[in-house]
């Protein structure tokens, strides 16, 4: 069979979504049996579908998504009569029609890349630019060190150990001297503090911390996002400061996100107290607090798989506008998003993208899924 890439992709997505016709299913089944690469892709799709991505997709508001599809079809001048022959599930599933960027989870897979021979010139350019961005440790004395390969390094009274994307250290400091670890866009990194607390930092984040905790509390300052597994010490509470709030714990695991105007604390296990100068809230596992300077604290339940997906290099988004995707694109691809066409600014998307895939693939996928034109100009990503 002479299949082009779009047809193979569409049929596989229809099949994994369970909305494929009997005739098309027979065709793609035959192709899977005859072609080794397509067979491997199908196996990988099944594994991905059975994991956390499937749970996320099941939670999508289908009625809302369908309205978004229809609105954008009308704007783009698609023939309306064609929709009468397709059920909603098929529109939602096939090739991430217009609103659903689900293709990023699948088409970015290396097996698809090899099968379809997608050219990634944009990705190569982005990768070259990212070589200039390194994880950096700025010491209390003002000296900065680029964290590169595995090994050990002696810095005064401190001994640093770097192995497999994680920084550990021992130090003899008797004074509270502050250091700052900065993780640039596109990257993530692990840090183990002197008390054994583990911190997994997301892209475009920095953590201010001392080599040794002095006194009756353990304090750090976070900008961005990080997941904390706090070593228990009933005599010395652990406190994370971020944007006018602080999270106080004795020993627990939680995620803290302060990228935007809100500070979001998601508790995985244990107990935490969130405080500002005038307000406070105590969380139980499975709840998150959301703080905004104008509205104070509120709390709600959250999906741990979705909140922590960034640790696996996946970003899930549900009904997010193109305009609001700008911050994520900046952190994950290290480029500024510019929307040339005001009419697409508030279009909403639902789906997932993988962090470790290149900007070129993201652009190609966005174009094929939505009809939006994506191009690079002066180091910025433009959409029109």
């Amino acid at each position: 069979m002479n299949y082009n890439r779009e047809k193979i992709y569409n049929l596989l997505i229809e099949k994994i979504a369970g909305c494929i016709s009997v005739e098309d299913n027979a065709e793609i089944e035959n192709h899977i049996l005859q072609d080794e690469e397509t067979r491997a892709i199908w196996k990988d799709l099944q594994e991905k579908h059975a994991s956390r991505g499937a749970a996320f997709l099941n939670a999508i508001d289908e009625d809302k998504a369908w309205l978004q599809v229809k609105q954008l079809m009308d704007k783009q001048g698609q023939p309306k009569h064609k929709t009468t022959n397709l059920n909603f599930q098929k529109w939602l599933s096939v090739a991430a029609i217009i609103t659903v960027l689900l293709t990023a989870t699948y088409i970015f897979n290396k097996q698809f890349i090899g099968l379809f021979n997608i050219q990634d010139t944009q990705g190569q350019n982005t990768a070259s630019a990212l070589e200039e961005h390194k994880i950096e440790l700025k010491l209390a004395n003002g000296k900065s060190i680029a964290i590169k390969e595995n090994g050990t390094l002696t810095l005064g009274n401190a001994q640093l150990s770097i192995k497999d994307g994680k920084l550990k250290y021992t130090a003899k400091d008797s004074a509270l001297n502050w250091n700052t670890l900065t993780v640039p866009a596109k990257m993530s990194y692990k840090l183990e503090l002197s008390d054994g607390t583990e911190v997994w930092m997301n892209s475009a984040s920095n953590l201010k911390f001392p080599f040794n905790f002095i006194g009756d509390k353990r304090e750090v300052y976070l900008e961005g996002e990080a997941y904390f597994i706090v070593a228990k010490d009933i005599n010395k509470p652990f406190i994370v400061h971020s944007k006018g709030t602080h999270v106080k714990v004795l020993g627990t695991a939680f995620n803290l996100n302060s990228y935007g105007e809100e500070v979001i604390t998601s508790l995985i296990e244990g107990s935490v107290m969130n405080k500002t100068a005038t307000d406070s809230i105590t969380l139980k596992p499975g709840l998150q607090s959301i703080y905004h300077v104008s509205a104070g604290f509120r709390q709600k339940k959250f999906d741990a798989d979705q909140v922590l997906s960034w640790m696996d290099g996946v970003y899930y988004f549900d009904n997010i506008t193109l305009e609001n995707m700008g911050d994520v694109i900046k952190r994950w691809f290290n480029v500024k998003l510019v929307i040339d066409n005001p009419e697409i600014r508030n279009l909403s998307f639902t789906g997932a993208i993988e962090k470790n895939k290149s900007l070129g693939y993201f652009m190609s996928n966005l174009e094929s899924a939505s009809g939006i034109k994506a191009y690079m100009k002066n180091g910025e990503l433009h959409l029109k």
Side-chain angles (χ1 to χ4, degrees), residues 79-137:
K80 297 179 183 179
H81 67 275
K82 289 187 178 180
T83 63
T84 60
N85 297 321
L86 293 172
N87 62 35
F88 167 73
Q89 285 289 345
K90 188 168 184 177
W91 273 106
L92 184 63
S93 303
V94 178
I97 292 291
I98 300 176
T99 59
V100 184
L101 288 183
L102 224 136
T103 48
T105 304
Y106 298 120
I107 202 169
F108 291 164
N109 184 275
K110 290 182 179 179
Q111 294 165 318
F112 270 109
I113 295 167
L115 180 63
F116 296 144
N117 296 316
I118 300 172
Q119 298 300 312
D120 186 22
T121 55
Q122 293 288 357
Q124 293 169 2
N125 293 337
T126 305
S128 298
L130 287 173
E131 288 299 319
E132 302 174 4
H133 295 79
K134 300 293 184 181
I135 295 168
E136 181 183 71
L137 177 64

Side-chain angles (χ1 to χ4, degrees), residues 27-45:
E27 281 194 66
I28 196 63
E29 282 281 0
N30 190 32
H31 195 73
I32 290 171
L33 289 173
Q34 292 183 15
D35 185 80
E36 182 177 352
E37 287 183 294
T38 305
R39 188 161 55 252
I41 294 168
W42 172 239
K43 182 179 178 181
D44 186 68
L45 282 173

Side-chain angles (χ1 to χ4, degrees), residues 334-348:
N334 198 32
V335 295
K336 180 181 178 181
L337 177 66
V338 179
I339 300 176
D340 299 331
N341 181 3
E343 292 185 359
I344 67 173
R345 187 175 299 276
N346 292 317
L347 293 180
S348 296

Side-chain angles (χ1 to χ4, degrees), residues 66 69-86 91:
W66 169 242
V69 172
K70 185 178 183 301
Q71 289 167 2
L72 187 54
M73 284 172 57
D74 292 345
K75 283 188 177 182
Q76 302 236 349
Q78 298 287 347
K80 297 179 183 179
H81 67 275
K82 289 187 178 180
T83 63
T84 60
N85 297 321
L86 293 172
W91 273 106

Side-chain angles (χ1 to χ4, degrees), residues 173-228:
D173 285 358
S174 58
L176 195 63
N177 295 317
W178 294 95
N179 313 286
T180 302
L181 184 66
T182 298
V183 179
K186 186 67 175 175
M187 305 181 75
S188 61
Y189 204 73
K190 295 179 184 178
L191 170 67
E192 183 173 320
L193 301 173
S194 59
D195 65 336
T197 292
E198 293 185 300
V199 186
W200 189 326
M201 298 173 62
N202 201 353
S203 304
S205 300
N206 64 69
L207 185 76
K208 183 179 176 182
F209 66 98
F211 276 144
N212 277 324
F213 294 109
I214 309 299
D216 60 357
K217 55 188 174 182
R218 299 168 287 168
E219 293 182 285
V220 298
Y221 294 79
L222 174 70
E223 293 181 11
E225 182 172 23
Y227 178 68
F228 293 83

Side-chain angles (χ1 to χ4, degrees), residues 282-334:
T282 300
L283 293 178
K284 294 182 178 180
L287 295 176
Q288 66 180 189
S289 68
I290 302 165
Y291 174 79
H292 191 284
V293 64
S294 64
F297 285 109
R298 61 187 174 92
Q299 65 175 310
K300 68 174 186 176
K301 294 181 179 180
F302 70 96
D303 183 337
D305 281 347
Q306 184 176 345
V307 169
L308 301 181
S309 64
W310 66 266
M311 298 172 68
D312 292 330
V314 180
Y315 175 71
Y316 290 116
F317 47 96
D318 185 8
N319 197 34
I320 186 173
T321 65
L322 274 179
E323 186 171 36
N324 289 334
M325 286 179 68
D327 290 340
V328 178
I329 292 171
K330 175 66 176 177
R331 293 195 301 268
W332 282 45
F333 298 115
N334 198 32

